[in-house]
Structures are given as structure tokens and as C-alpha cells.
Amino acid sequence: MTNGETIRVSLVEDDDEIRDALAILIDATEGMKCHSTFGDCESAIESVSKDPPDVLMMDIELPGMSGVEGVQKIKTARPGIDIIMLTIHKDDDLVFQSLSLGATGYLLKDSQPDDILRAIRDVRSGGSPMSSQIARRIVVSFRKAEKSPLTKRETEVLEKLCEGHSYKMIGADLFVSEETIHFHIKNIYQKLQVHSKSEAVAKALRERLI
Amino acid sequence: MTNGETIRVSLVEDDDEIRDALAILIDATEGMKCHSTFGDCESAIESVSKDPPDVLMMDIELPGMSGVEGVQKIKTARPGIDIIMLTIHKDDDLVFQSLSLGATGYLLKDSQPDDILRAIRDVRSGGSPMSSQIARRIVVSFRKAEKSPLTKRETEVLEKLCEGHSYKMIGADLFVSEETIHFHIKNIYQKLQVHSKSEAVAKALRERLI
DNA sequence: CGAAAAACTACCCGTTTCGGTAGTAGCCGC
DNA sequence: GCGGCTACTACCGAAACGGGTAGTTTTTCG
């Protein structure tokens, strides 16, 4: 994919001026080369699948297919490409979504040339360029719930549920009767406001109770 | 907690020199004040719970209780405190762990004074100062699986399972019979190597298939 | 075009789950 | 020391689930 020297960069950006400016900047830089450019997602997906660059810079707001959707498609077709989103808003839900769908980092459109080049090198050397505001959002969504409504025992039972155990198996594991597990689970349902094992597991994992 | 003007910073660091240097730097800075300092986690936890600062800077490698453990305890007692880890290794598992347990950002011990002050202001204004290498690790662990063994329909069914729906309800939602759902779920179990709804949900959410 | 994969429907049967009710026992804090 | 919380055990019946087998139709792709 990479030849160890020149980073091949492709661009997806509907604004001609911005696209050309970026292309010129990249081509003028030692160790980088503008591989291809596109005005919309659809044509980018097609071409990039056949002839992938190392890094793809993609506008987040595009006519037609959105950049967010594009990330998903391109990353599925070519997981090796590092995708940097281009955006005008520095703290945006779309940025957050793009990252969760496969983008590696993002860059503000009004960044200085130096920052742009740094971001490109950064993704290639294993980093994720992003603002600390976005980083915070990701860190928070990644954290365990700091306090759970469940008791210690209930949490233990919930963990077993998440491993797919039946009442009987959990009882055996915790050295209590199946009926006791039944009892704990009823309380868990009450507290989490759910009515089945799968719903409890989903809630527990989504809210990081365990 | 905060008075909108002065950021109160506490330090937990066993090296006297580093601790004192940081304290002096902070006190010499307009808009910041060194609130308290500690040489170990245990005493920090006790004092900080009673008289919390706005920001806590904590060494990650401490004698006695580790900084990672300390983060968890302090964050539980006082969720409002923003914790910045101090470390010598910039890409460390411990940093990653600390962030998942409640730290907001981290800082290398050999950072420039400017960077240190910037990080403190950053956490207070809603950011998470961190290297892009760590950011990448978090982004990746947060991403959806790029390819799932499941078909489109099976994924749809799995999503409904994660919402706690029964076969009957899923059938109604997707306008097919309950038996069809039964059929899809049997295939899902086969592919995911599980044997119950809760196990399937757990696997789906953990591996981010949905 | 034709094979393969996906989507769909159906029935059986034993097991598990869910909700309700009912009771015992230990621990902690006010 | 007593009320409240947690942990534990038990029984019941209706509903849901899990695994099996058996078949049709539609879509996809070489």
C-alpha cells in the first residue's frame, strides 16, 4: 500500500478552489503526492476501490452521498486507507459519527498548511489528528458508568447474563440456587426498567454498567 | 466547584522536585492556583474528597496505590474533578486504562511549561489533551467492525434483539412471520457461535457488529 | 443461464424465562 | 434496636425460546 517514501493522497471535496489548493499544497510537499481528486463521493468510491491511495481526505458535507456515508463504504472496500475528514465546524456530531464509522482523524478546512501536512503524516504514522474537544467526547463515551444502580451481587449476575449463561448455570457459578438467580434478575429488571435477558444485557453493555 | 476565574489544581506526584516545580509553575500563572499537593494516592483520596480542586494532576506510576486505581476512586467520590495523568511514556497501556476509568487527559512529564498550562486550561474548557497516538487507539476501539459475517437481514434482526424485542415483535416490525425470525436467529447463532439471545446481543455489542 | 446465497414459511417438543406471590436471615446506619 | 436494604429460597402457570427438520421463492453473481 505504502512504498515507505511517498504518501499518496486523494481528495474528495466539492469546492473546486479548496480542492485545487489542497492538491497543489500536497504536490509541492516532499514525500507526498496527490494521487487523485473527486468532486463527489460516488465517483471517489468507484475509483478509490480500484486504485487506492494511502490517505484520503474527505469533505464531510458533500452534495449527493454524505461524507459520513462515504467513509463507511470506502473503509469497507479498502480498510487500509486512512481517512481524514474535512469540516468547517470543529465540534460536530458528523465528525463524531465519521470517526465511529471508520475515519481516522479530521481537519478543519481553515487549517494552516503546516497543520494539514502534519495531519497527513500523523495518520500515516499511527496517530489520529483531532481536536481535544472531540477527543473528550470519545473518551467520555468510552468510559464506564461511574455509578450503577445495581448492588454488587446483581452486577455479578448481570455479568454472567452477558456471557449468555442460563439461570441454572449462574446459580452453579455463584453457589446459590437457580431460584435466587431468578430473584436477582427480577430486581435487575426492575432497576433497569427492562423485561428480558437480552434487553438487560443490551442496556448493561450500552451504559457500561459492567 | 469552579468560580469561573481561578482554576484550582491539585498534584499527586511522588517525586518532590517535579511536584514542587509544577506547584511553582501553577502558582506563578494568572488564573491558576495550586490547591494542594500529595506524595501518594492514599492521602490524596482522603483530602480531595473533602476539599476538591477543579483539576487534579496525577502521576501514573506511584508507590503504593497506582495512579490508575486512584483515578477510579477519586472519580467515583468526586466526578466533577478533571483528572490529568502524568506519565513518562507517551504511548502506554496505563494511559489507556486511566482514560477508560475516568481520567480526562494526560501529559508527558517532560512537557514544556506552556503545554502543561494549556492542558490544564484545556480540560477545564471541555477538552481532552492527549497525543494523537492514544487518540487513535481510542478511536479504533470505539469503531464498528468493518465487516460482519451476517447478512443485511440478519443484522436487522440482531438490532431488534438488542432492543429486547421478542420473536413476535420483530416479526411484526419487519412484516414477516414469527417463524421467519426464528429462522434468521438460528442462522445468527450459527454464525456467531452462540446459543441464546442474550449471548448474541452481548457478542454483537462487544464486537460492534451493530 | 445456472448455481449459490439469502429470505421466507412451517411444525414439533423439551427447556427456559418471566411475573407474581411468599417467606427467612444478616448487615448497616440513624 | 429497628427499619431498610441485600441476599437467599421456593412454587406456579403462561409465554417465549432453542434446536431440529423440511420446504419455496427471490436475489446475486460468475
PDB file of all heavy atoms in Angstrom, chain B residues 52-65:
ATOM      1  N   PRO B  52     -12.309  19.312  47.327  1.00  0.00           N
ATOM      2  CA  PRO B  52     -11.928  19.028  45.939  1.00  0.00           C
ATOM      3  C   PRO B  52     -11.400  20.233  45.171  1.00  0.00           C
ATOM      4  O   PRO B  52     -11.916  21.342  45.323  1.00  0.00           O
ATOM      5  CB  PRO B  52     -13.245  18.565  45.317  1.00  0.00           C
ATOM      6  CG  PRO B  52     -14.300  19.215  46.122  1.00  0.00           C
ATOM      7  CD  PRO B  52     -13.775  19.335  47.497  1.00  0.00           C
ATOM      8  N   PRO B  53     -10.380  20.014  44.351  1.00  0.00           N
ATOM      9  CA  PRO B  53      -9.893  21.041  43.428  1.00  0.00           C
ATOM     10  C   PRO B  53     -10.711  20.971  42.140  1.00  0.00           C
ATOM     11  O   PRO B  53     -11.633  20.165  42.040  1.00  0.00           O
ATOM     12  CB  PRO B  53      -8.463  20.587  43.162  1.00  0.00           C
ATOM     13  CG  PRO B  53      -8.567  19.097  43.192  1.00  0.00           C
ATOM     14  CD  PRO B  53      -9.609  18.776  44.231  1.00  0.00           C
ATOM     15  N   ASP B  54     -10.388  21.799  41.173  1.00  0.00           N
ATOM     16  CA  ASP B  54     -11.045  21.708  39.865  1.00  0.00           C
ATOM     17  C   ASP B  54     -10.355  20.663  38.995  1.00  0.00           C
ATOM     18  O   ASP B  54     -10.990  19.896  38.291  1.00  0.00           O
ATOM     19  CB  ASP B  54     -10.998  23.061  39.156  1.00  0.00           C
ATOM     20  CG  ASP B  54     -11.701  24.141  39.955  1.00  0.00           C
ATOM     21  OD1 ASP B  54     -12.820  23.886  40.428  1.00  0.00           O
ATOM     22  OD2 ASP B  54     -11.125  25.230  40.122  1.00  0.00           O
ATOM     23  N   VAL B  55      -9.031  20.705  39.062  1.00  0.00           N
ATOM     24  CA  VAL B  55      -8.236  19.795  38.241  1.00  0.00           C
ATOM     25  C   VAL B  55      -7.239  19.058  39.121  1.00  0.00           C
ATOM     26  O   VAL B  55      -6.653  19.653  40.027  1.00  0.00           O
ATOM     27  CB  VAL B  55      -7.468  20.582  37.152  1.00  0.00           C
ATOM     28  CG1 VAL B  55      -6.561  19.646  36.357  1.00  0.00           C
ATOM     29  CG2 VAL B  55      -8.435  21.308  36.219  1.00  0.00           C
ATOM     30  N   LEU B  56      -7.082  17.783  38.855  1.00  0.00           N
ATOM     31  CA  LEU B  56      -6.101  17.005  39.597  1.00  0.00           C
ATOM     32  C   LEU B  56      -5.092  16.435  38.614  1.00  0.00           C
ATOM     33  O   LEU B  56      -5.470  15.805  37.624  1.00  0.00           O
ATOM     34  CB  LEU B  56      -6.798  15.860  40.336  1.00  0.00           C
ATOM     35  CG  LEU B  56      -5.918  14.949  41.190  1.00  0.00           C
ATOM     36  CD1 LEU B  56      -5.396  15.694  42.403  1.00  0.00           C
ATOM     37  CD2 LEU B  56      -6.703  13.726  41.633  1.00  0.00           C
ATOM     38  N   MET B  57      -3.808  16.676  38.883  1.00  0.00           N
ATOM     39  CA  MET B  57      -2.790  16.078  38.030  1.00  0.00           C
ATOM     40  C   MET B  57      -2.192  14.918  38.807  1.00  0.00           C
ATOM     41  O   MET B  57      -1.732  15.093  39.937  1.00  0.00           O
ATOM     42  CB  MET B  57      -1.716  17.107  37.692  1.00  0.00           C
ATOM     43  CG  MET B  57      -2.343  18.371  37.108  1.00  0.00           C
ATOM     44  SD  MET B  57      -1.137  19.549  36.483  1.00  0.00           S
ATOM     45  CE  MET B  57      -0.555  18.682  35.053  1.00  0.00           C
ATOM     46  N   MET B  58      -2.210  13.752  38.215  1.00  0.00           N
ATOM     47  CA  MET B  58      -1.796  12.575  38.960  1.00  0.00           C
ATOM     48  C   MET B  58      -0.758  11.752  38.223  1.00  0.00           C
ATOM     49  O   MET B  58      -0.958  11.372  37.066  1.00  0.00           O
ATOM     50  CB  MET B  58      -3.008  11.701  39.250  1.00  0.00           C
ATOM     51  CG  MET B  58      -2.654  10.391  39.899  1.00  0.00           C
ATOM     52  SD  MET B  58      -3.744   9.977  41.223  1.00  0.00           S
ATOM     53  CE  MET B  58      -5.168   9.611  40.294  1.00  0.00           C
ATOM     54  N   ASP B  59       0.334  11.479  38.917  1.00  0.00           N
ATOM     55  CA  ASP B  59       1.364  10.608  38.367  1.00  0.00           C
ATOM     56  C   ASP B  59       0.757   9.221  38.156  1.00  0.00           C
ATOM     57  O   ASP B  59      -0.029   8.747  38.964  1.00  0.00           O
ATOM     58  CB  ASP B  59       2.531  10.516  39.353  1.00  0.00           C
ATOM     59  CG  ASP B  59       3.727   9.815  38.739  1.00  0.00           C
ATOM     60  OD1 ASP B  59       3.687   9.500  37.526  1.00  0.00           O
ATOM     61  OD2 ASP B  59       4.713   9.580  39.465  1.00  0.00           O
ATOM     62  N   ILE B  60       1.144   8.601  37.074  1.00  0.00           N
ATOM     63  CA  ILE B  60       0.537   7.301  36.772  1.00  0.00           C
ATOM     64  C   ILE B  60       1.261   6.174  37.496  1.00  0.00           C
ATOM     65  O   ILE B  60       0.682   5.147  37.819  1.00  0.00           O
ATOM     66  CB  ILE B  60       0.496   7.084  35.233  1.00  0.00           C
ATOM     67  CG1 ILE B  60      -0.706   6.254  34.824  1.00  0.00           C
ATOM     68  CG2 ILE B  60       1.779   6.456  34.716  1.00  0.00           C
ATOM     69  CD1 ILE B  60      -1.040   6.385  33.358  1.00  0.00           C
ATOM     70  N   GLU B  61       2.533   6.380  37.763  1.00  0.00           N
ATOM     71  CA  GLU B  61       3.299   5.363  38.498  1.00  0.00           C
ATOM     72  C   GLU B  61       3.656   5.895  39.875  1.00  0.00           C
ATOM     73  O   GLU B  61       4.568   6.703  40.026  1.00  0.00           O
ATOM     74  CB  GLU B  61       4.597   5.006  37.745  1.00  0.00           C
ATOM     75  CG  GLU B  61       4.346   4.115  36.549  1.00  0.00           C
ATOM     76  CD  GLU B  61       5.219   4.492  35.369  1.00  0.00           C
ATOM     77  OE1 GLU B  61       5.906   5.533  35.440  1.00  0.00           O
ATOM     78  OE2 GLU B  61       5.192   3.745  34.373  1.00  0.00           O
ATOM     79  N   LEU B  62       2.921   5.397  40.845  1.00  0.00           N
ATOM     80  CA  LEU B  62       3.118   5.881  42.203  1.00  0.00           C
ATOM     81  C   LEU B  62       3.475   4.716  43.116  1.00  0.00           C
ATOM     82  O   LEU B  62       3.056   3.592  42.864  1.00  0.00           O
ATOM     83  CB  LEU B  62       1.824   6.519  42.711  1.00  0.00           C
ATOM     84  CG  LEU B  62       1.439   7.880  42.142  1.00  0.00           C
ATOM     85  CD1 LEU B  62      -0.012   8.182  42.468  1.00  0.00           C
ATOM     86  CD2 LEU B  62       2.344   8.964  42.710  1.00  0.00           C
ATOM     87  N   PRO B  63       4.236   4.992  44.184  1.00  0.00           N
ATOM     88  CA  PRO B  63       4.432   3.942  45.193  1.00  0.00           C
ATOM     89  C   PRO B  63       3.090   3.712  45.886  1.00  0.00           C
ATOM     90  O   PRO B  63       2.295   4.630  46.018  1.00  0.00           O
ATOM     91  CB  PRO B  63       5.453   4.566  46.148  1.00  0.00           C
ATOM     92  CG  PRO B  63       5.299   6.042  45.967  1.00  0.00           C
ATOM     93  CD  PRO B  63       4.892   6.248  44.547  1.00  0.00           C
ATOM     94  N   GLY B  64       2.838   2.495  46.326  1.00  0.00           N
ATOM     95  CA  GLY B  64       1.535   2.196  46.946  1.00  0.00           C
ATOM     96  C   GLY B  64       0.479   2.072  45.876  1.00  0.00           C
ATOM     97  O   GLY B  64       0.719   1.455  44.836  1.00  0.00           O
ATOM     98  N   MET B  65      -0.656   2.677  46.121  1.00  0.00           N
ATOM     99  CA  MET B  65      -1.742   2.583  45.155  1.00  0.00           C
ATOM    100  C   MET B  65      -1.348   3.257  43.848  1.00  0.00           C
ATOM    101  O   MET B  65      -0.829   4.364  43.846  1.00  0.00           O
ATOM    102  CB  MET B  65      -2.995   3.257  45.726  1.00  0.00           C
ATOM    103  CG  MET B  65      -4.222   3.052  44.847  1.00  0.00           C
ATOM    104  SD  MET B  65      -5.610   4.065  45.382  1.00  0.00           S
ATOM    105  CE  MET B  65      -5.911   3.406  47.001  1.00  0.00           C
TER     106      MET B  65
END
